[in-house]
Amino acid sequence: METVLSGIRSTGNLHLGNYFGALRNFTKMQDEYKCFFFIADYHSLTTHPDPQILHPNVKNVLTEYLAAGIDPDKATLYIQSDVPEVCELYLLLNMHAYLGELSKTTSFKDKARKNPENVNAGLLTYPTLMAADILMHNADKVPVGKDQEQHLEMTRKFARRFNNLYSVEYFKEPAAFNFGQELVKIPGLDGSGKMGKSEGNCLYLMDDPKTIEKKVKRALTDEGPKEFNAVKPDYIENLFTILNVVSTPDVVSFFDEKWNKCEIRYGDLKKQLAEDIIKVTNPIRERIIDIQNDESYLHKVTTQGAEKARESASKTLREVRQIMGFKPF
Ligand code: TRP
């Protein structure tokens, strides 16, 4: 069975974009693949080194993953820092990662430009830590968005280089995992292309119904179409994109028809949209609240996850050390 691995940085709550773009598919993938899902808390230190929020942030993502349907008995769900083997592999891979290639990485250049006072070595070696995450479990497939493609390409390069240097066929080159037609990019409600934390336009899984209604009501619209069958402007198309994933096809065609005949009432559209978003988010939100308060369940899940992850990680480390020439006396 092929192995799928995905990591997420713990820097805040999950939103509809995370859910429809990835999380919802993870709940299906866990039935078909050997899955590793982990929370990249070491990675979060490259930009958010705050002891007050480190743990709450990890807890948020953990509870939201569980509430959205990740099953810790099917997938291996773990916290990166619970698996110290990753640090060792990171160190070893760093010996074969070059300053030239690391400093040319787009994400590094971006962050260095935006935060010139904190250009730390962790940021520079972010791709080696990510490669260690992936290679540690010999993952075949990694579901990634556009912004992570370069990191995955570097992982392949590091794997290849390791194999060549030590004349082995040890590491696999992991491939980007395309969900096919099910990949949905959720736009913001403000007319922007993408729902994102830094864009400040998110509908969170944790938002209560009132908050969702309020946010949807504020979505950007206009006076309506002026002619039959008009092309929708982006900000209206965005509302339909979200409607498409949360509503039934007949609801979508109902509003499409209204649009085409210039009879659309945005108030009605927004009311329906909010209602159907709430249908998706509310059961998740209720589970989040339950799980959040269940410390013993969270303890059990993370302990079990760490154990399973360390089993595969320690095997890799044993083999890598041997390949590299480490030997006990
Ligand atoms: N860099 C990824 C992000 O910001 C998170 C991540 C860390 C990751 N390690 C990974 C993703 C390994 C996939 C595989 O989204």
Side-chain angles (χ1 to χ4, degrees):
M1 192 190 276
E2 282 192 311
T3 299
V4 173
L5 175 137
S6 171
I8 180 160
R9 257 159 45 99
S10 45
T11 54
N13 290 93
L14 302 182
H15 51 75
L16 273 197
N18 299 125
Y19 182 70
F20 286 108
L23 194 45
R24 185 179 59 157
N25 301 75
F26 292 173
T27 65
K28 293 181 207 140
M29 284 186 307
Q30 65 189 356
D31 291 321
E32 289 166 43
Y33 296 91
K34 180 169 182 199
C35 288
F36 290 92
F37 300 124
F38 74 95
I39 300 165
D41 54 348
Y42 283 141
H43 275 110
S44 77
L45 295 176
T46 59
T47 53
H48 293 61
D50 181 346
Q52 300 300 320
I53 59 166
L54 183 75
H55 185 73
N57 275 346
V58 170
K59 185 175 173 182
N60 280 342
V61 178
L62 179 67
T63 47
E64 288 170 351
Y65 262 42
L66 291 165
I70 302 278
D71 180 345
D73 290 326
K74 291 181 185 163
T76 300
L77 174 62
Y78 68 98
I79 297 162
Q80 189 182 32
S81 63
D82 280 344
V83 184
E85 286 81 1
V86 76
C87 301
E88 187 176 351
L89 187 56
Y90 168 58
L91 177 140
L92 298 174
L93 292 176
N94 268 333
M95 302 304 165
H96 303 308
Y98 303 114
L99 179 61
E101 61 192 344
L102 293 170
S103 58
K104 267 195 293 221
T105 314
T106 310
S107 60
F108 174 71
K109 287 196 292 188
D110 269 3
K111 296 217 165 102
R113 189 167 36 78
K114 285 186 194 144
N115 265 316
E117 75 294 343
N118 185 24
V119 186
N120 60 71
L123 210 50
L124 180 72
T125 55
Y126 190 111
T128 9
L129 181 54
M130 185 158 156
D133 291 326
I134 298 168
L135 299 177
M136 188 166 74
H137 299 300
N138 238 332
D140 298 283
K141 294 188 153 100
V142 182
V144 285
K146 265 249 160 300
D147 60 325
Q148 298 298 317
E149 269 171 10
Q150 191 180 27
H151 292 152
L152 192 60
E153 184 57 51
M154 290 173 82
T155 301
R156 285 193 286 268
K157 203 201 273 178
F158 295 149
R160 227 168 14 241
R161 187 177 294 159
F162 181 94
N163 290 346
N164 287 338
L165 267 170
Y166 297 102
S167 304
V168 286
E169 273 303 318
Y170 185 68
F171 286 127
K172 280 186 230 167
E173 291 186 33
F177 192 21
N178 191 348
F179 298 127
Q181 294 165 332
E182 291 180 55
L183 181 64
V184 187
K185 193 170 134 206
I186 299 295
L189 292 173
D190 52 358
S192 73
K194 185 179 164 223
M195 184 173 288
K197 251 176 296 177
S198 39
E199 285 79 4
N201 59 7
C202 293
L203 293 160
Y204 290 101
L205 294 180
M206 241 332 248
D207 282 343
D208 58 35
K210 285 243 148 15
T211 308
I212 289 179
E213 278 165 15
K214 240 191 277 168
K215 287 182 176 176
V216 173
K217 237 182 226 163
R218 282 203 307 259
L220 185 64
T221 50
D222 52 25
E223 302 95 73
K226 298 278 186 298
E227 56 189 66
F228 279 22
N229 304 316
V231 175
K232 298 186 188 87
D234 285 350
Y235 49 91
I236 300 295
E237 191 62 56
N238 287 352
L239 298 185
F240 276 85
T241 302
I242 303 179
L243 193 69
N244 224 340
V245 293
V246 295
S247 299
T248 52
D250 52 305
V251 169
V252 179
S253 41
F254 172 84
F255 283 103
D256 240 341
E257 220 164 274
K258 291 276 177 204
W259 166 272
N260 285 334
K261 291 194 205 140
C262 296
E263 287 169 4
I264 193 149
R265 288 169 35 181
Y266 291 135
D268 294 348
L269 171 64
K270 287 178 172 180
K271 193 159 163 273
Q272 180 79 45
L273 183 58
E275 202 175 288
D276 291 337
I277 290 172
I278 292 165
K279 263 192 216 142
V280 174
T281 56
N282 218 37
I284 299 177
R285 190 179 67 93
E286 282 170 2
R287 282 196 294 273
I288 293 173
I289 294 168
D290 281 347
I291 296 169
Q292 246 171 6
N293 298 318
D294 196 344
E295 295 293 338
S296 75
Y297 178 61
L298 292 176
H299 176 77
K300 188 181 136 231
V301 167
T302 49
T303 313
Q304 173 188 322
E307 236 164 65
K308 280 203 274 175
R310 291 195 71 180
E311 204 177 296
S312 127
S314 60
K315 175 173 179 288
T316 304
L317 261 298
R318 223 170 24 245
E319 290 164 353
V320 166
R321 289 176 64 106
Q322 198 194 3
I323 291 168
M324 293 179 78
F326 292 94
K327 253 189 198 152
F329 282 95

